[in-house]
Amino acid sequence: MRAPVLMCLTLRYASGVPPLEEAMLASRGDAYRRYQARTGAIILPRLGRAARG
């Protein structure tokens, strides 16, 4: 059970996601904010939500 949690944390916080999001906000502004609102940084936690949806 620890491995999936560790993988998720690594991908979200130790990868290039935060710097990429910052750059996208600077270049695309509100359009990227709207994209962020409907899309998760990592898709896996949203699969159950989409399947019920």
Side-chain angles (χ1 to χ4, degrees), residues 38-50:
R38 66 177 193 274
T39 308
I42 297 177
I43 297 171
L44 293 177
R46 299 220 176 210
L47 285 177
R49 185 179 191 190

Side-chain angles (χ1 to χ4, degrees), residues 15-37:
S15 72
V17 172
L20 177 61
E21 286 185 338
E22 186 177 323
M24 293 296 286
L25 283 170
S27 67
R28 300 216 168 47
D30 288 334
Y32 188 68
R33 285 191 210 301
R34 288 190 301 272
Y35 172 78
Q36 282 180 310

Side-chain angles (χ1 to χ4, degrees), residues 3-17:
V5 172
L6 181 61
M7 180 63 79
C8 183
L9 291 173
T10 300
L11 288 172
R12 177 65 179 111
Y13 297 106
S15 72
V17 172

